[in-house]
Amino acid sequence: MAATPALKLKDTKPRKVAIACQGGGSHTAFTAGVLRWILRETDDEIVGFSGTSGGAICALLAWYGLVVRQDRKQAIALLEAFWAENSANAVGDRLLNAWLVEAARLRGPVALPEVSPYQYPPWGQDRLKGMLEHLVDFEEVQKHRPASPMLLVGAVNVQTGEFTRFKAGGKASQTEEKQYQPITVEAMLASAAVPPLFRAVPIGGSLYWDGLFSQNPPIRDLPDARPDEIWVIQVNPQKRKTEPRSIAEIQDRRNELSGNLSLNQEIFFIERVNQWVGKGLMAAGKHQVIPVRRIEMERDLDYPSKLDRSPAFIQDLMAYGEEQAKSF
C-alpha cells in the first residue's frame, strides 16, 4: 500500500480518524497507551472507535470520555483508572495472577486437568462487570447516538456462529440501525468472554463469546463515520523474526495468526473498496479512498502473558504503546 503522511500533531491541520482496537487480554494495555498518547498529543477529530475484547474496553472508555464527559483528559483518566484497578495489586491477587500465568505456560509440556468455567463461580466476569459499571454509566451510553462519534463492539453468537456488532453513537438510517444491538455492560462482557476462562454471556435469548472469534476488531463499518483515515491498533504481531520450533512457540504463533485472520480480512475489505473507488467503479460522493494504517505491537510475547495482570507488566505495555504511537 502506498505510504501515507505521518501522524499530525497539534500544530498541523486536524483530520477525521476512526480507531480500531484489536483484542488480546492484558496485551491491550498497549492499546491504552496508544490511545493515551493520541488523546494527549494530537487534535485530530476522532469520529469512530471499534474494538473487541480488551480492545473493546479501551475503545469504550476512550469514547465515553470524549462523548459523555466531553473531555480528552477524562478519557485518559478512565483508561488509566481501569488498568490500575484491573492490575493484580493485592498480595493474594498477585499470587493468584502468578499462578495462573505459570499454569498456562506449563499447559504445553505438562498435562494439566481442564476445568470448565461452569464448575466455579464467575468471579472474573463479576469483577470485570463491577469495574466497568464503576467507570461507565451505561444509561448515558444509550443517550448519545446520532451526533456523536461511532462506537462498535464485536462478539459472536455461540450457537449460530453469527457475528454480532453492538453500537452506540454515529449516524445511521433506521434500516442500518437494525443491524446492530445496543452497547450494554453485558455486551462488553460478551466481547471479552474468552473460552474456556469465562462463561458465555446471555443477551436477548442468545449466548455470546469473545469477539476474537468474529471481527477482531470490527472495521468495515467504520467508513460510515466518514473518516479521512482508519488507524488500527494491532496487539498480535504480524511478523516473527525467527521460526517457531518448540511446542510453546508454535502455539504462540498459531494464536497470533488466528487472532490476525479476521483483522486482515477486515482490512482487505476496506482496501478492495479503495481500489474500486480509485478506478471510478463506486458512486461519486458516496465513497472515498480511506487509508488504513497500523500501530503495531512488535514485541514477541507468549500467549500466557495475555493473562498477566502484574502492575509492572501493565505499566510497561502502556509505556510501550505510547512509544509506538509516537513513532507511528
Side-chain angles (χ1 to χ4, degrees):
M1 188 171 68
T4 52
L7 180 124
K8 297 189 177 185
L9 302 180
K10 291 181 178 179
D11 59 348
T12 61
K13 184 179 178 180
R15 59 191 156 186
K16 295 180 179 180
V17 299
I19 302 175
C21 306
Q22 189 180 46
S26 292
H27 289 185
T28 47
F30 169 85
T31 301
V34 172
L35 290 173
R36 182 168 64 182
W37 193 90
I38 290 172
L39 290 164
R40 187 182 66 237
E41 301 296 339
T42 78
D43 61 358
D44 292 295
E45 180 185 355
I46 303 175
V47 296
F49 289 96
S50 73
T52 291
S53 195
I57 293 172
C58 289
L60 167 70
L61 296 172
W63 180 91
Y64 187 75
L66 283 174
V67 174
V68 179
R69 302 285 182 85
Q70 298 184 348
D71 188 341
R72 287 191 173 216
K73 291 183 179 179
Q74 284 293 314
I76 294 171
L78 287 169
L79 288 164
E80 292 175 339
F82 173 81
W83 285 102
E85 189 172 350
N86 188 50
S87 298
N89 295 300
V91 174
D93 200 11
R94 289 192 183 207
L95 292 173
L96 176 61
N97 177 70
W99 179 82
L100 287 172
V101 174
E102 291 309 311
R105 289 190 172 124
L106 286 172
R107 183 159 296 177
V110 179
L112 296 175
E114 298 287 347
V115 180
S116 166
Y118 296 89
Q119 292 179 286
Y120 53 85
W123 295 304
Q125 285 169 303
D126 289 345
R127 182 171 183 267
L128 178 57
K129 181 179 180 182
M131 286 190 288
L132 291 174
E133 290 181 328
H134 172 69
L135 296 172
V136 175
D137 183 340
F138 283 91
E139 290 185 3
E140 286 291 325
V141 170
Q142 300 308 312
K143 294 177 182 178
H144 293 77
R145 281 193 170 275
S148 61
M150 175 189 296
L151 173 64
L152 291 172
V153 170
V156 65
N157 187 311
V158 176
Q159 293 162 299
T160 67
E162 295 177 346
F163 302 163
T164 301
R165 291 155 300 173
F166 301 86
K167 180 176 178 287
K171 295 180 181 179
S173 67
Q174 291 185 350
T175 301
E176 291 172 331
E177 205 63 43
K178 291 180 180 179
Q179 302 174 13
Y180 308 104
Q181 294 193 39
I183 289 181
T184 61
V185 69
E186 287 77 19
M188 300 306 300
L189 294 176
S191 186
V194 57
L197 292 177
F198 297 129
R199 301 180 183 190
V201 176
I203 300 175
S206 299
L207 295 169
Y208 291 91
W209 268 348
D210 198 314
L212 295 172
F213 300 105
S214 54
Q215 294 167 300
N216 186 22
I219 297 177
R220 66 183 65 188
D221 295 290
L222 289 178
D224 292 342
R226 308 297 290 178
D228 298 319
E229 293 185 1
I230 294 174
W231 298 346
V232 178
I233 305 176
Q234 183 173 350
V235 298
N236 288 319
Q238 189 67 28
K239 299 178 181 179
R240 282 271 186 170
K241 296 178 181 179
T242 59
E243 177 188 0
R245 294 194 173 188
S246 70
I247 289 296
E249 290 172 343
I250 292 170
Q251 290 175 338
D252 290 340
R253 188 55 179 158
R254 183 181 66 181
N255 175 265
E256 291 168 354
L257 293 175
S258 61
N260 286 336
L261 180 62
S262 63
L263 169 65
N264 290 327
Q265 289 175 334
E266 291 287 289
I267 292 176
F268 174 80
F269 177 84
I270 300 296
E271 292 181 340
R272 179 54 59 89
V273 172
N274 285 342
Q275 292 176 3
W276 292 337
V277 172
K279 293 178 179 179
L281 301 178
M282 306 290 283
K286 291 186 177 181
H287 304 278
Q288 62 182 14
V289 173
I290 305 175
V292 179
R293 307 177 63 205
R294 307 190 198 209
I295 307 172
E296 299 183 51
M297 167 115 71
E298 296 178 342
R299 290 181 178 177
D300 291 344
L301 301 175
D302 63 6
Y303 176 78
S305 67
K306 290 186 176 182
L307 306 176
D308 190 355
R309 295 182 297 109
S310 61
F313 183 66
I314 296 298
Q315 291 302 316
D316 178 63
L317 283 181
M318 291 182 72
Y320 176 52
E322 289 209 2
E323 292 173 9
Q324 290 297 90
K326 186 177 181 180
S327 63
F328 165 59

